Amino acid sequence: MPAACDSVLEDIEDIVSAEDLRPLARRFVRGNVLPRVRKRSSQRGAQAEDEPPGDSIIPGVQKIWIRTWGCSHNNSDGEYMAGQLAAYGYRITDNSAEADLWLLNSCTVKNPAEDHFRNSIRKAQEGNKKVVVAGCVPQAQPRQEYLKGLSIIGVQQIDRVVEVVEETIKGHSVRLLGQKKDNGKRLGGARLDLPKIRKNPLIEIISINTGCLNACTYCKTKHARGDLASYPIEELVDRAKQSFQEGVCEIWLTSEDTGAYGRDIGTDLPTLLWRLVQVIPEGAMLRLGMTNPPYILEHLEEMAKILHHPRVYAFLHIPVQSASDSVLMDMKREYCVADFKQVVDFLKEKVPGITIATDIICGFPGETDEDFQETVKLVEQYRFPSLFINQFYPRPGTPAAKMPQVPASVKKQRTKDLSQLFHSYNPYDHKVGERQRVLVTEESFDSNYYVAHNPFYEQVLVPKDPLLMGKMVEVNIYEAGKHFMKGHPVSDARVHTASITRPLAKGEVSGLTEEFRLAPRKGTKWKADPAAQSPALRSWVPWQLPWQRGGGGALKVLCASLALLAVLLVLYHGGVRAEL
């Protein structure tokens, strides 16, 4: 049988016969060819250009629904993840039913929050939605049965959300749970200059540190967030400046314990705050987050001065949890009730009118009736205007879960009794008739009012006038409720615009350079030149080819081969002889 080929090919172009046109001749022939226009069918033309086919798995074009539970730190993480996904081309939607993927950002503080999280996963799976989970629950317990097979974004890996979502849409399961480190030292988390979508364009939430220095026996968050890791002051100040340049008029500082800020990097909270107040524009305000008593005690004098500053709310959240020293010892809270009272009494004296918010846990293991009555007396003494009452829930893996438990009926009754005490007094009745300066930043839950806050971060409802949003105005208080006051704007008073520039539109991505704002994307690629990107964006934008991302070896070889083949085809059809 004759061979399929009688001679050995020494060159790929030996395949061309003598009768075939040579490349140079082929170039002239092309000039006489008239392209035939292919008519599009009306059905195909009707489809929107930016809509992928129904069975498309092209990353960067799907709709994503994001749900966040928990603290303001978690909310900030959710905003960063939304911003990166939107910047990459994904569409963030408020409609969970139309979403292709659900991103569920969890909270592990209490059982009910985790129950809601678990139920949402089940609902998504029943609706055939892709699911990515984030937050403290999967970080602390990634091997739970109901998380099996799901993609996970760790609390310090939110800057890689696009990668995780992209792989999940392709049908893969990805888990990123590592810690951010620099020369072996743990960092505060993902960088602060990433794109984000603020839930409220007027409010910027800045996490100043992650983790804490405590080891509370009931706390599951410690398992997820770990030990204290603070962001450098310069990075925090830069983030605040950027926020104000984007129209923000209120900044919230958040963390698991703001009072411990800087102890791991050789600085402290007052030093940070004094730097921040220097960059806050007139009319804008700063709200300080939760701080535990031990770490604020040594800074009381400086903190009182800062809380007196006209651009800082005279407000502080100091959790006491219990007024029984024996219970506090079992909780390993590292302070006694006298320490808490010292902090509150000092600040009330030095900062008249200051709002002190606190937390209380009812029914902690070993809490006796006498212990609980001590807590009742503390509330009666201080009549906290803002009080977060929590029934104790044993969290798996915590020391408190192994302690002898208070009966559920007793915990429930104590929670009810303390709640009744809290609702027995109205903290704002004496303020009716006052004239107050307030900053308007939000819409009320019932959509009937705008929500403002006075210098003590007390909630004031004002008429729903669009001209008031984002403004510092004066109001006359005419009504007071348990959690709010109502005020009429003073007609002859000056209205001050708190934002130094127009705020971003709701849903608009923060942190993008002008080049990116002017370069909308179709599909999955940025249209802007990567060389023109800011260093912050260039470090995270996940548009690179697989070998640029550090993909697998086999994938690198395949991509390189395809690229080489493409080059050869171009050279061949262009009339250039390419020797192999």
Side-chain angles (χ1 to χ4, degrees):
M1 181 175 178
C5 184
D6 294 331
S7 61
V8 178
L9 291 176
E10 296 182 355
D11 193 289
I12 192 171
E13 291 189 4
D14 289 341
I15 297 174
V16 182
S17 69
E19 291 78 16
D20 288 338
L21 291 174
R22 306 307 293 176
L24 188 60
R26 188 180 292 112
R27 181 184 301 175
F28 292 106
V29 172
R30 284 199 201 108
N32 299 320
V33 177
L34 294 176
R36 193 169 83 183
V37 178
R38 181 178 299 172
K39 295 183 179 180
R40 294 184 180 180
S41 66
S42 58
Q43 290 182 346
R44 291 183 61 185
Q47 186 177 11
E49 289 184 7
D50 59 348
E51 289 289 339
D55 59 350
S56 171
I57 57 169
I58 301 172
V61 295
Q62 288 77 13
K63 294 180 180 178
I64 297 178
W65 180 64
I66 302 176
R67 171 73 191 275
T68 295
W69 292 264
C71 64
S72 54
H73 192 165
N74 229 31
N75 277 275
S76 177
D77 288 350
E79 292 180 349
Y80 274 122
M81 289 190 284
Q84 293 170 83
L85 290 168
Y88 188 63
Y90 291 102
R91 285 167 289 177
I92 309 302
T93 179
D94 293 329
N95 186 343
S96 61
E98 71 174 13
D100 301 292
L101 180 143
W102 287 14
L103 173 53
L104 304 175
N105 189 21
S106 62
C107 171
T108 191
V109 172
K110 294 188 289 187
N111 287 7
E114 184 172 351
D115 291 341
H116 286 303
F117 171 63
R118 185 188 299 110
N119 292 337
S120 295
I121 292 175
R122 186 183 304 114
K123 185 177 180 181
Q125 292 170 333
E126 290 172 352
N128 295 319
K129 306 291 186 183
K130 300 287 187 180
V131 181
V132 173
V133 295
C136 292
V137 171
Q139 179 74 51
Q141 289 184 294
R143 293 183 177 86
Q144 292 192 83
E145 184 63 27
Y146 71 91
L147 297 177
K148 189 175 180 179
L150 297 180
S151 292
I152 296 176
I153 303 169
V155 295
Q156 287 209 324
Q157 298 292 330
I158 61 171
D159 56 337
R160 300 182 67 185
V161 62
V162 173
E163 299 174 54
V164 176
V165 167
E166 179 177 331
E167 293 303 319
T168 303
I169 286 172
K170 293 176 182 177
H172 305 149
S173 176
V174 182
R175 297 191 166 201
L176 301 179
L177 296 165
Q179 304 293 321
K180 299 286 186 190
K181 293 184 178 180
D182 182 18
N183 295 323
K185 182 177 177 60
R186 185 167 177 266
L187 301 177
R191 55 192 305 160
L192 296 172
D193 52 4
L194 295 171
K196 74 187 303 188
I197 296 179
R198 299 184 182 96
K199 186 177 180 181
N200 184 336
L202 296 175
I203 298 176
E204 167 71 4
I205 306 172
I206 302 178
S207 55
I208 62 175
N209 57 266
T210 190
C212 67
L213 295 173
N214 297 333
C216 300
T217 56
Y218 57 82
C219 183
K220 189 72 175 177
T221 306
K222 177 78 172 186
H223 297 187
R225 298 284 181 178
D227 293 327
L228 179 69
S230 305
Y231 284 98
I233 287 180
E234 293 303 325
E235 291 184 19
L236 295 167
V237 172
D238 288 345
R239 182 64 196 180
K241 288 179 180 177
Q242 177 190 336
S243 301
F244 292 128
Q245 290 166 0
E246 293 175 337
V248 163
C249 61
E250 186 170 290
I251 283 184
W252 297 356
L253 299 186
T254 184
S255 76
E256 283 64 58
D257 186 354
T258 58
Y261 170 79
R263 286 173 172 257
D264 58 318
I265 58 174
T267 185
D268 54 41
L269 181 63
T271 302
L272 169 65
L273 295 176
W274 283 125
R275 287 290 306 280
L276 284 173
V277 296
Q278 295 174 13
V279 302
I280 301 175
E282 183 183 358
M285 297 294 290
L286 181 146
R287 191 195 79 174
L288 187 59
M290 185 272 289
T291 175
N292 284 311
Y295 307 111
I296 205 71
L297 269 170
E298 61 192 76
H299 301 305
L300 282 179
E301 289 283 355
E302 284 300 298
M303 290 303 300
K305 295 176 184 176
I306 292 166
L307 292 169
H308 250 309
H309 195 283
R311 292 192 285 278
V312 179
Y313 286 116
F315 166 89
L316 204 57
H317 180 191
I318 315 171
V320 64
Q321 305 299 7
S322 173
S324 165
D325 284 341
S326 63
V327 173
L328 291 175
M329 186 176 297
D330 290 339
M331 292 179 173
K332 288 193 175 179
R333 289 291 288 170
E334 300 184 10
Y335 60 86
C336 60
V337 178
D339 294 331
F340 174 80
K341 290 183 175 180
Q342 179 184 349
V343 172
V344 175
D345 292 343
F346 182 90
L347 292 177
K348 280 182 169 290
E349 177 186 352
K350 300 294 183 179
V351 189
I354 187 174
T355 296
I356 300 293
T358 195
D359 301 354
I360 289 175
I361 296 175
C362 295
F364 185 82
E367 182 186 63
T368 64
D369 288 337
E370 291 74 18
D371 294 328
F372 177 67
Q373 288 306 314
E374 290 298 319
T375 300
V376 170
K377 292 177 183 176
L378 184 78
V379 176
E380 290 175 337
Q381 176 183 354
Y382 288 100
R383 299 169 72 87
F384 301 103
S386 183
L387 177 62
F388 304 95
I389 302 170
N390 303 291
Q391 180 178 320
F392 174 76
Y393 290 97
R395 301 296 290 132
T398 62
K402 302 175 183 178
M403 298 178 181
Q405 302 294 306
V406 173
S409 58
V410 175
K411 291 192 291 185
K412 189 174 183 179
Q413 186 60 49
R414 288 176 183 172
T415 304
K416 181 180 178 181
D417 291 345
L418 197 61
S419 296
Q420 288 177 342
L421 171 59
F422 174 61
H423 286 93
S424 68
Y425 59 87
N426 293 320
Y428 307 129
D429 284 351
H430 66 287
K431 298 198 173 188
V432 173
E434 288 185 359
R435 180 164 170 165
Q436 298 183 354
R437 177 175 56 89
V438 299
L439 177 59
V440 185
T441 56
E442 304 174 70
E443 184 177 83
S444 62
F445 286 117
D446 61 9
S447 300
N448 293 328
Y449 298 91
Y450 280 161
V451 178
H453 292 91
N454 63 18
F456 309 107
Y457 203 69
E458 296 165 334
Q459 185 171 268
V460 179
L461 303 180
V462 298
K464 197 174 176 182
D465 180 356
L467 295 177
L468 297 178
M469 185 59 71
K471 305 294 194 302
M472 183 78 75
V473 300
E474 290 190 7
V475 298
N476 287 321
I477 303 300
Y478 67 90
E479 183 181 334
K482 175 62 181 176
H483 302 286
F484 63 88
M485 292 168 275
K486 291 183 180 179
H488 282 308
V490 177
S491 58
D492 60 344
R494 175 174 173 250
V495 175
H496 183 81
T497 301
S499 302
I500 61 175
T501 186
R502 181 189 65 81
L504 301 179
K506 189 171 180 62
E508 188 175 353
V509 181
S510 155
L512 296 183
T513 61
E514 194 64 23
E515 300 98 286
F516 286 93
R517 294 181 192 279
L518 298 176
R521 303 191 310 158
K522 299 271 187 175
T524 62
K525 300 290 189 294
W526 280 109
K527 302 302 183 186
D529 178 5
Q533 299 171 17
S534 69
L537 285 172
R538 199 161 56 239
S539 68
W540 75 267
V541 172
W543 63 265
Q544 295 100 329
L545 294 171
W547 59 81
Q548 292 173 303
R549 290 198 205 171
L555 184 59
K556 291 180 182 178
V557 172
L558 175 60
C559 292
S561 301
L562 292 174
L564 178 59
L565 180 59
V567 170
L568 289 173
L569 289 173
V570 170
L571 292 175
Y572 178 78
H573 288 291
V576 179
R577 182 178 178 86
E579 297 291 338
L580 291 180

